[in-house]
Amino acid sequence: MASSRVGVTLSNNWRAATASGRALALPAMVELEQGVPAAGWDDWLTAHGGHVLQSRAWARFQDALGHRVLHCAGDSWSWLGTMEKLHGIHHLYVPYGPTLGDGDIAGLSGALSEGGRRGGADFVRVEPVGTGAGAWLDSGTLTATTPTQPRDTWILDLSPDVETLRRGLEKGHRWRVNAAERKGVSVSESRDPGDIETFLTLLRDTTEHGGFRAQQDDHYRTLMRVLGADGHARLYIARFEGRSVAASIVLDFAGTRYYLHSAADQVVNRRVGAAVPLLWTMIIDAKQLGARIFDFWGVAPDDSPNHPWAGISAFKRAFGGRMLRRDGTWDMPLRRLRYRAYRAARSVLRR
């Protein structure tokens, strides 16, 4: 769906009440739009360190899933979000966004409030990124909440040469990478759209053993259909003795490769360790394609063995790299009584 205006240009006399009761004025000629942003959207986003979940590619994917996509940009900020529903409560969700430079916090808050209200939202959920995020969080207009996307991620600088990166592997990972060919493990990128079914078969095995829920199958099929064709999404498969035993989906955007989804045969992979050369191949391919950063996505905030992500976090850290802590997930209430009811319901469900 092409981008279209939701309504008239937002004027600078529109006012939104915040938690402090202070009025916010929107700057003139700020447009709230619906659908996929126009060409050029990613230029500002890339220049200010924006995340792939704020990109035109992600908007195309969300639009293909049937989600209502809203977006808006000012001189020093941009945001892209979807309308979501939880426990009967509607909200505008802006994943790893908005992207903020310095300045015009009032205009940003006003545009998000207007976007939420026009979408029928009870609140707006944000995960701010950028140099201006701190000042916005200090403004008192947002409420901290349980993270939706992980606050902590693990990133690897891809600028060193391959041998230096290899030396950065922990001993066990380095041994598995070096032994992969000898053990009969091969890794390749798949360009066959039908191979998403291989990933889904492995994912079902992974979720059954791990006791967690994944997205519906069509979520992954749509992802590869929409974003695989132009190379934003790529599927890698590790094989052992002609059998697919591990697979991963990565996203490429603005010099960063994101480790998005992974699945494996829980018996064979444990025996041959195919997940290690699989991830190593994705790292090296990213470097050869010109990426500067490999983002492993979420990790536990520390080395505690009791954290539910302890195992996967140790696996990711063993490739070398460092922690990146973002600013977390925050809510901007619009309909305060309904928002309080939502918070109360969530607290009961977590007991």
Side-chain angles (χ1 to χ4, degrees):
M1 171 179 177
S3 180
S4 62
R5 293 187 186 181
V6 174
V8 298
T9 300
L10 301 178
S11 67
N12 62 358
N13 61 7
W14 181 86
R15 297 165 71 85
T18 67
S20 63
R22 181 171 57 87
L24 299 179
L26 286 177
M29 300 308 293
V30 172
E31 295 175 358
L32 174 66
E33 297 184 283
Q34 180 172 306
V36 179
W41 174 270
D42 288 342
D43 295 342
W44 192 92
L45 190 66
T46 299
H48 290 80
H51 196 275
V52 67
L53 299 193
Q54 289 292 297
S55 68
R56 294 183 73 240
W58 193 253
R60 288 193 291 113
F61 170 50
Q62 293 298 314
D63 188 63
L65 288 174
H67 294 163
R68 186 180 181 189
V69 180
L70 299 174
H71 59 91
C72 193
D75 290 338
S76 60
W77 49 264
S78 69
W79 60 263
L80 182 149
T82 54
M83 296 305 306
E84 307 286 343
K85 184 177 181 180
L86 287 172
H87 311 305
I89 303 295
H90 294 82
H91 69 282
L92 170 63
Y93 176 44
V94 182
Y96 287 140
T99 309
L100 293 84
D102 297 318
D104 195 22
I105 294 171
L108 167 62
S109 296
L112 282 165
S113 297
E114 179 71 352
R117 292 182 191 281
R118 293 193 185 191
D122 300 298
F123 65 93
V124 179
R125 175 157 292 171
V126 296
E127 294 165 335
V129 171
T131 56
W136 192 37
L137 296 179
D138 289 340
S139 68
T141 61
L142 303 173
T143 301
T145 191
T146 304
T148 300
Q149 297 296 335
R151 181 174 187 179
D152 300 301
T153 189
W154 193 255
I155 62 172
L156 177 65
D157 178 6
L158 299 180
S159 60
D161 59 47
V162 173
E163 286 310 309
T164 300
L165 291 172
R166 187 187 296 267
R167 287 195 296 271
L169 297 170
E170 290 189 4
K171 183 178 179 181
H173 274 19
R174 189 162 55 248
W175 182 87
R176 286 180 175 85
V177 168
N178 293 338
E181 185 175 355
R182 184 176 71 252
K183 295 181 71 173
V185 175
S186 63
V187 179
S188 61
E189 179 192 346
S190 173
R191 302 293 178 94
D192 182 354
D195 275 343
I196 191 61
E197 302 304 319
T198 298
F199 172 85
L200 292 174
T201 298
L202 294 169
L203 183 62
R204 284 189 281 274
D205 190 49
T206 302
T207 56
E208 287 171 7
H209 282 78
F212 64 91
R213 294 170 56 188
Q215 301 280 359
Q216 296 294 318
D217 288 357
D218 279 347
H219 177 95
Y220 305 98
R221 293 186 182 115
T222 303
L223 175 66
M224 292 308 301
R225 175 176 58 83
V226 174
L227 301 187
D230 60 8
H232 278 99
R234 298 171 187 262
L235 173 65
Y236 285 79
I237 299 175
R239 296 179 173 87
F240 174 70
E241 296 181 346
R243 175 181 176 182
S244 299
V245 296
S248 294
I249 298 172
V250 294
L251 292 179
D252 292 327
F253 176 72
T256 297
R257 170 162 285 187
Y258 297 89
Y259 183 40
L260 189 63
H261 300 297
S262 195
D265 183 307
Q266 299 300 290
V267 175
V268 180
N269 179 61
R270 188 175 294 111
R271 177 160 56 89
V272 302
V276 175
L278 171 65
L279 185 44
W280 173 250
T281 299
M282 295 188 296
I283 290 170
I284 299 307
D285 277 7
K287 176 177 175 60
Q288 293 174 346
L289 287 170
R292 301 179 300 277
I293 297 291
F294 192 96
D295 188 323
F296 290 83
W297 216 266
V299 293
D302 52 42
D303 295 328
S304 170
N306 299 319
H307 195 282
W309 297 352
I312 187 63
S313 298
F315 172 79
K316 293 175 179 180
R317 290 186 178 104
F319 285 90
R322 64 178 179 86
M323 178 78 85
L324 172 63
R325 167 157 282 201
R326 296 189 171 97
D327 287 309
T329 304
W330 299 75
D331 290 343
M332 177 190 293
L334 301 178
R335 298 172 179 165
R336 293 193 172 276
L337 289 178
R338 288 180 61 81
Y339 180 71
R340 289 190 193 114
Y342 160 76
R343 296 273 290 196
R346 284 198 65 182
S347 66
V348 170
L349 291 171
R350 284 198 297 265
R351 290 175 187 171

